Amino acid sequence: MAAFNFCPGRVLSAGLIMLVLVNFAFDTSTANLYEDLDVTWGDGRANIQNNGDLLMVSLDKISGSGFQSKKEYLFGKIDMQLKLVQGNSAGTVTAYYLRSNGSTWDEIDFEFLGNSTGEPYTLHTNVFTQGKGNREQQFHLWFDPTADFHTYSILWNPDRIVFYVDGIPIRHFKNLESYGIPFPRNQPMTIYSSLWNADDWATRGGLVKTDWAYAPFTASYRNFDDEDSCIWINGQSSCWSNPPKYNLNPWFWQTLDYGQQGQMNWVRDNHMIYNYCKDTNRFPQGFPPECAYANIY
């Protein structure tokens, strides 16, 4: 509950706060992960347990492991609860993302960069459109993501992409096609997740290496929820049924209200540690075009 005592002076109603608290305190979702996800690599290092309630991925010196969704999506609201690698996780990356196929792919990334014991995880986010990324924003979370499960969500609709942590928006990427900026809206995407070794860059730019004495490293997943999504089946979206399903789904048209904008601004002000739109050394000739519209909600 301490996570919600962060916003003095921001416009957040008591009713909204209580609604969020109730939603997370009493989340009793029982999604069967056998029905939604396939373990795809790792030679036994990833497995679904507890009758489909829990999925574990692990990493040792020989290999990491990973899984993907059985379905493809063209727009959706996707939730997953994760508990990250505990202790000395330096050099490891837990990735959770949506990605399409092909050389001009679209991609929406959560990546959790491990750290030495007692140092904070870095939450790394990125958006790729037509095979081009370089839109990194990074955050230090306001809680210990290894102590318990937390909900990480992606809202992807025709108007915007929003990254959420425990229902709090931390980043958005608005559809600015009218300004000539590509937006992912034509390619169906699959959900992927993996735990792998990236000690050449993940922790302090590769200065801190993975300590294999702490292996195997393990991350846990539960309560996957894709109920609010458009499933891509046989070249057609489930939301383009007759009558259109999207007309009945508020998430398909969801924006950020003033309270959510205040929450996101609080995260930016207090927990963002890197923003590509402010990196003058990286972009000496000028920032990418979407940076000029960063405050358009």
Side-chain angles (χ1 to χ4, degrees):
M1 293 177 64
F4 295 91
N5 296 326
F6 56 70
C7 209
R10 301 291 188 189
V11 182
L12 286 174
S13 71
L16 173 62
I17 294 173
M18 287 306 298
L19 177 61
V20 173
L21 288 172
V22 168
N23 283 343
F24 287 102
F26 298 96
D27 184 356
T28 57
S29 172
T30 56
N32 189 325
L33 301 180
Y34 285 115
E35 298 176 358
D36 298 311
L37 307 172
D38 284 325
V39 172
T40 50
W41 65 284
D43 195 21
R45 291 173 179 80
N47 56 83
I48 299 174
Q49 306 175 6
N50 297 355
N51 297 316
D53 290 341
L54 183 71
L55 192 154
M56 309 280 287
V57 295
S58 65
L59 163 71
D60 58 32
K61 199 167 185 178
I62 297 173
S63 177
S65 56
F67 63 88
Q68 69 179 63
S69 62
K70 294 179 184 288
K71 305 169 189 171
E72 289 183 296
Y73 306 87
L74 187 62
F75 306 126
K77 172 74 160 49
I78 309 293
D79 301 328
M80 178 77 88
Q81 290 190 333
L82 281 75
K83 183 164 70 171
L84 300 179
V85 175
Q86 295 180 317
N88 189 343
S89 59
T92 71
V93 172
T94 306
Y96 167 56
Y97 58 101
L98 286 156
R99 179 177 168 135
S100 64
N101 296 320
S103 60
T104 56
W105 75 96
D106 297 328
E107 186 172 334
I108 306 168
D109 288 345
F110 274 116
E111 289 185 303
F112 303 89
L113 314 185
N115 214 331
S116 304
T117 302
E119 296 298 321
Y121 259 83
T122 295
L123 171 52
H124 176 99
T125 66
N126 204 349
V127 176
F128 286 73
T129 58
Q130 301 177 7
K132 181 181 181 299
N134 299 324
R135 298 183 175 100
E136 299 90 349
Q137 291 183 359
Q138 296 182 338
F139 308 84
H140 283 163
L141 296 168
W142 51 96
F143 54 83
D144 179 358
T146 73
D148 204 350
F149 286 90
H150 292 268
T151 303
Y152 302 91
S153 307
I154 294 169
L155 170 69
W156 170 36
N157 66 27
D159 188 58
R160 69 192 61 237
I161 295 164
V162 185
F163 296 76
Y164 295 87
V165 176
D166 286 343
I168 298 171
I170 65 167
R171 177 181 183 176
H172 80 129
F173 184 81
K174 188 167 172 57
N175 186 337
L176 298 169
E177 289 179 303
S178 60
Y179 296 93
I181 299 164
F183 184 83
R185 66 179 181 89
N186 296 313
Q187 302 187 73
M189 295 199 248
T190 302
I191 297 166
Y192 297 93
S193 190
S194 59
L195 175 57
W196 52 291
N197 179 43
D199 66 3
D200 57 332
W201 66 273
T203 306
R204 295 181 58 200
L207 293 177
V208 182
K209 302 299 183 181
T210 303
D211 187 342
W212 295 109
Y214 292 92
F217 305 97
T218 302
S220 307
Y221 303 73
R222 71 181 188 189
N223 289 346
F224 172 74
D225 185 359
D226 66 349
E227 183 175 351
D228 290 332
S229 60
C230 301
I231 310 302
W232 188 257
I233 305 172
N234 298 324
Q236 184 174 353
S237 168
S238 62
C239 289
W240 271 255
S241 56
N242 190 14
K245 178 182 173 184
Y246 61 79
N247 285 343
L248 306 176
N249 288 320
W251 67 265
F252 198 87
W253 311 108
Q254 185 174 331
T255 60
L256 292 173
D257 63 27
Y258 288 118
Q260 292 168 324
Q261 292 173 33
Q263 288 178 317
M264 191 165 64
N265 288 334
W266 173 82
V267 173
R268 286 176 173 175
D269 293 343
N270 294 279
H271 295 278
M272 179 181 280
I273 60 170
Y274 177 79
N275 182 357
Y276 75 107
C277 284
K278 295 184 180 295
D279 192 340
T280 54
N281 292 328
R282 185 178 176 189
F283 300 106
Q285 304 304 317
F287 296 119
E290 67 270 14
C291 295
Y293 309 99
N295 293 320
I296 295 179
Y297 296 102

